[in-house]
């Protein structure tokens, strides 16, 4: 390749769908958008006898235009085969012709497309690397909205190399944070030709170059090369292991029969997924569980215990993790989201189109969540002042968590003691439904910048495209050109 020489929660189900609330009545115009809606839109069927000027007008305006046509042209059951104009095989042949045209220029088209974006989009960054044979070995990109989101939500990030492209044997590495709705938010992405230490170091250095600083905490899987690269590049970051990845392996390492035992699962949950116990208590309970279920000689279990400080909540219970560790389905949600994008047979330029479509979906859903939080009212369970004030401050998903805690405090808990220690308030209480003795201590700390509030990111920032030109028509044309018409000026090929 010879491009220019330059360098928890539920699986993205929106919270208004997860709970029966009155807000849904007010949001009929805000239906859920999926990646398939963007990548595979249902086309309008124009009247072949009508004037197509309306379609052309659509190119100069972002409004949706549907041309008028005869009712006979509207698809209905029993109509749309001799009149369709194209069959499945025709579509497949058309795609094959496109891929044949792309051919060995695939990587070069991507580089040229990203170069155009960097020219026209404010704060857009991308880096790439090639080997001695000028084959693409690494690619990293992030736009201006990714950077603004990193400033607000980038203290704790996760990334892994779960997705691989069979076509070029490259690995897709998304960088993910948690937004103020406690939903996954993409902060950038990379493609690597190998999973070596040097490849990961290049990717992380590109990340720092683009964002200007390191994250405070990085959550990854147990990939050794990735771990070493993080230690070498993210020198000020604390590294944590993804609990979801580890716990997902328990069935294979400890046996599926044991993992179907409800008592075993409950006891593991009580010591792994909660942060209300001290490290010493975790170690004592862990050993008791291992003895009870005959796992004391299991090497993988022993290895996980040795590295307990990197993934067990009890060892960093007071460290803000933004929900990335505590949420069991955070990584599962990320995997589900990007699996819709990461079709292993795609060309690189198709891959980039799918990624952009996924970002459109994610950002639309973020704006929808903002709208719900700002302009709708949730149901009031307890009629208390505390419950009425909470939705004025917090996003709706965070309020739901608060509402559950408020209701539980009133109906299930008995406060026993309160201590004020500087900026912290410690409350001792008894939870009548908790396991064991039910004695808990809750610590409140006044935070100057609370990342869960509704207005942590101004709403207008989520809607900007950041094209440098001012004219509206030029913005739209440039957006369409960058998205659908990548150019190829230099010869390139991919491993």
């Amino acid at each position: 390749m010879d491009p220019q020489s330059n360098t928890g929660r539920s699986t993205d189900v929106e919270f208004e769908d997860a709970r029966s609330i009155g807000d849904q009545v007010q949001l009929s115009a805000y239906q859920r958008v999926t990646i398939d809606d963007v990548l595979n839109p249902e086309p309008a069927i124009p009247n072949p006898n009508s004037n197509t000027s309306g379609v052309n007008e659509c190119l100069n305006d972002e409004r949706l235009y549907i041309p008028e046509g005869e009712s006979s042209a509207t698809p209905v059951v029993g109509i749309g085969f001799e009149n369709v104009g194209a069959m499945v095989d025709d579509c497949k042949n058309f795609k094959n012709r496109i891929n044949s045209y792309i051919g060995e220029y695939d990587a070069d088209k991507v580089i040229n497309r990203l170069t155009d974006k960097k020219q026209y989009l404010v704060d857009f960054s991308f880096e790439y690397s090639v080997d001695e044979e000028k084959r693409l070995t690494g690619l990293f990109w992030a736009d201006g909205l990714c950077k603004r989101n990193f400033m607000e939500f980038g203290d704790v990030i996760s990334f892994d190399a779960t997705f691989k492209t069979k076509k070029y044997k490259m690995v897709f590495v998304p960088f993910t944070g948690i937004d103020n709705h406690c939903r996954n938010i993409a902060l950038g992405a990379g493609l690597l030709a190998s999973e070596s230490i040097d490849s990961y170091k290049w990717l992380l250095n590109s990340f720092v170059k683009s964002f200007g600083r390191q994250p405070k905490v990085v959550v990854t899987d147990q990939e050794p090369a990735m771990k070493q690269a993080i230690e070498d590049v993210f020198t000020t970051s604390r590294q944590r292991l993804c609990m979801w990845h580890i716990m997902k392996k328990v069935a294979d390492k400890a046996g599926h029969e044991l993992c179907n035992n409800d008592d075993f699962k409950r006891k593991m949950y009580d010591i792994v997924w909660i942060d209300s116990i001290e490290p010493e208590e975790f170690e004592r309970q862990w050993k008791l569980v291992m003895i009870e279920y005959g796992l004391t000689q299991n090497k993988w279990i022993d290895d996980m215990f040795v590295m307990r400080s990197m993934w067990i909540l009890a060892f960093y219970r007071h460290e803000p993790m933004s929900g990335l560790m505590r949420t069991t389905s955070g990584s599962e949600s990320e995997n589900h989201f990007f699996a819709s994008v990461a079709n292993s047979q795609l060309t690189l330029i198709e891959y980039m189109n799918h990624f952009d479509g996924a970002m459109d979906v994610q950002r639309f859903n973020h704006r929808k969540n903002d709208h719900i939080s700002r302009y709708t009212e949730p149901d009031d369970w307890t009629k208390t002042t505390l419950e009425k004030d909470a939705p004025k401050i917090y996003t709706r998903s965070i309020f739901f968590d608060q509402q559950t805690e408020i209701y539980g405090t009133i109906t299930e808990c008995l406060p026993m003691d309160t201590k004020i220690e500087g900026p912290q308030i410690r409350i001792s209480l008894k939870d009548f439904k908790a396991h064991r003795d039910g004695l808990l201590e809750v610590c409140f700390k006044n935070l100057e910048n609370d990342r869960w509030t509704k207005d942590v990111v101004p709403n207008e920032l989520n809607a900007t495209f950041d094209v440098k030109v001012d004219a509206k028509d030029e913005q739209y044309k440039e957006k369409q050109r960058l998205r659908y018409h990548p150019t190829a000026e230099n010869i390139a090929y991919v491993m």
Side-chain angles (χ1 to χ4, degrees), residues 20 38 70 72 76 80 138 154 247 260 273 296 414 446 460 465:
S20 178
V38 174
E70 298 294 332
S72 60
V76 295
M247 295 304 292
N260 289 328
W273 289 111
T296 55
L414 176 65
N446 184 26
E460 61 271 15
F465 180 62

Side-chain angles (χ1 to χ4, degrees), residues 129 137-140 159-164 169-175 189-208 218 220-234 239:
S129 64
T137 58
L139 186 66
F140 172 81
F159 73 97
D160 60 42
T162 302
F163 312 100
K164 296 178 175 61
K169 297 181 180 178
M170 298 189 81
V171 61
F172 174 57
V173 187
F175 293 81
L191 284 168
L192 296 177
S194 71
E195 296 182 73
S196 65
I197 294 175
D198 287 341
S199 293
Y200 282 123
K201 288 175 65 174
W202 176 88
L203 183 64
L204 298 182
N205 278 313
S206 298
F207 182 95
V208 174
V218 182
T220 69
D221 60 18
Q222 295 172 265
E223 170 62 42
M226 188 182 294
K227 180 178 182 297
Q228 184 60 54
I230 292 173
E231 292 176 356
D232 293 345
V233 179
F234 285 175
Q239 186 176 174

Side-chain angles (χ1 to χ4, degrees), residues 38 113 353 360 478-486:
V38 174
R113 172 178 176 172
N353 280 340
D360 286 345
E478 190 57 37
K479 184 175 182 180
Q480 297 300 312
R481 188 178 76 82
L482 291 177
R483 180 148 188 178
Y484 300 111
H485 303 289

Side-chain angles (χ1 to χ4, degrees), residues 92-365:
K92 290 181 178 179
N93 291 335
F94 179 68
K95 177 176 172 58
N96 289 336
R97 288 198 299 271
I98 291 177
N99 290 345
S100 177
Y101 168 77
I102 292 174
E104 61 183 12
Y105 307 111
D106 193 13
D108 189 69
K109 290 175 182 294
V110 170
I111 298 303
N112 278 286
R113 172 178 176 172
L114 294 179
T115 300
D116 285 345
K117 283 193 173 187
K118 191 170 184 177
Q119 178 181 358
Y120 287 100
L121 303 184
V122 175
D123 291 335
F124 185 86
S125 295
F126 88 97
E127 303 286 334
Y128 71 93
S129 64
V130 297
D131 62 14
E132 60 278 0
E133 298 180 14
K134 297 188 177 181
R135 295 178 296 190
L136 182 67
T137 58
L139 186 66
F140 172 81
W141 69 96
D143 64 14
L145 187 52
C146 285
K147 293 180 180 181
R148 283 196 293 270
N149 286 331
F150 179 75
M151 293 301 295
E152 297 295 342
F153 310 121
D155 285 352
V156 183
I157 70 168
S158 71
F159 73 97
D160 60 42
T162 302
F163 312 100
K164 296 178 175 61
T165 63
K166 292 181 181 178
K167 189 174 182 67
Y168 299 123
K169 297 181 180 178
M170 298 189 81
V171 61
F172 174 57
V173 187
F175 293 81
T176 305
I178 299 293
D179 67 12
N180 54 332
H181 302 283
C182 213
R183 297 291 184 269
N184 288 346
I185 186 168
L187 303 175
L191 284 168
L192 296 177
S194 71
E195 296 182 73
S196 65
I197 294 175
D198 287 341
S199 293
Y200 282 123
K201 288 175 65 174
W202 176 88
L203 183 64
L204 298 182
N205 278 313
S206 298
F207 182 95
V208 174
K209 180 178 179 181
S210 296
F211 288 95
R213 69 174 176 87
Q214 302 175 21
K216 293 181 180 179
V217 181
V218 182
V219 181
T220 69
D221 60 18
Q222 295 172 265
E223 170 62 42
M226 188 182 294
K227 180 178 182 297
Q228 184 60 54
I230 292 173
E231 292 176 356
D232 293 345
V233 179
F234 285 175
T235 55
T236 63
S237 301
R238 299 183 297 279
Q239 186 176 174
R240 302 293 184 226
L241 298 178
C242 177
M243 298 177 70
W244 181 79
H245 281 104
I246 293 176
M247 295 304 292
K248 193 177 180 182
K249 297 178 182 178
V250 172
D252 292 331
K253 304 298 183 179
H256 291 274
E257 182 177 352
L258 181 60
C259 288
N260 289 328
N261 184 310
D262 290 338
D263 287 337
F264 174 75
K265 290 191 293 185
R266 179 178 59 79
K267 290 178 180 178
M268 286 294 288
Y269 177 90
D270 284 348
I271 60 176
V272 170
W273 289 111
I274 61 175
D275 58 4
S276 59
I277 60 175
E278 298 287 346
E280 296 77 11
E281 178 63 13
F282 162 79
E283 294 172 357
R284 187 181 73 84
Q285 293 291 336
W286 175 277
K287 291 177 181 178
L288 289 175
V289 173
M290 298 305 112
I291 292 172
E292 180 178 356
Y293 294 96
L295 296 173
T296 55
Q297 301 301 315
N298 187 301
K299 185 180 184 304
W300 183 83
I301 292 290
D302 288 343
D303 291 341
M304 294 302 99
F305 182 74
V306 169
M307 60 179 66
R308 58 192 179 279
S309 63
M310 295 188 67
W311 68 283
I312 294 297
L313 289 174
F315 289 86
Y316 41 92
R317 52 202 299 243
H318 300 307
E319 181 178 306
M321 293 298 296
S322 304
L324 266 175
M325 297 287 286
R326 187 176 289 104
T327 303
T328 60
S329 59
S331 293
E332 184 178 14
S333 175
E334 178 186 13
N335 286 0
H336 174 79
F337 179 73
F338 283 114
S340 303
V341 181
N343 184 324
S344 60
Q345 300 300 328
L346 296 176
T347 63
L348 289 181
I349 198 67
E350 289 177 310
Y351 202 94
M352 198 66 66
N353 280 340
H354 280 230
F355 179 84
D356 286 347
M359 292 301 95
D360 286 345
V361 170
Q362 188 182 80
R363 289 168 178 179
F364 173 85
N365 287 329

Side-chain angles (χ1 to χ4, degrees), residues 450-476:
D450 193 336
R451 71 192 308 281
W452 305 117
T453 59
K454 295 190 293 187
D455 299 319
V456 64
V457 176
N459 197 37
E460 61 271 15
L461 290 183
N462 296 310
T464 58
F465 180 62
D466 286 343
V467 177
K468 289 182 179 178
V469 293
D470 294 328
K472 181 179 179 181
D473 287 348
E474 292 301 320
Q475 287 188 17
Y476 184 78

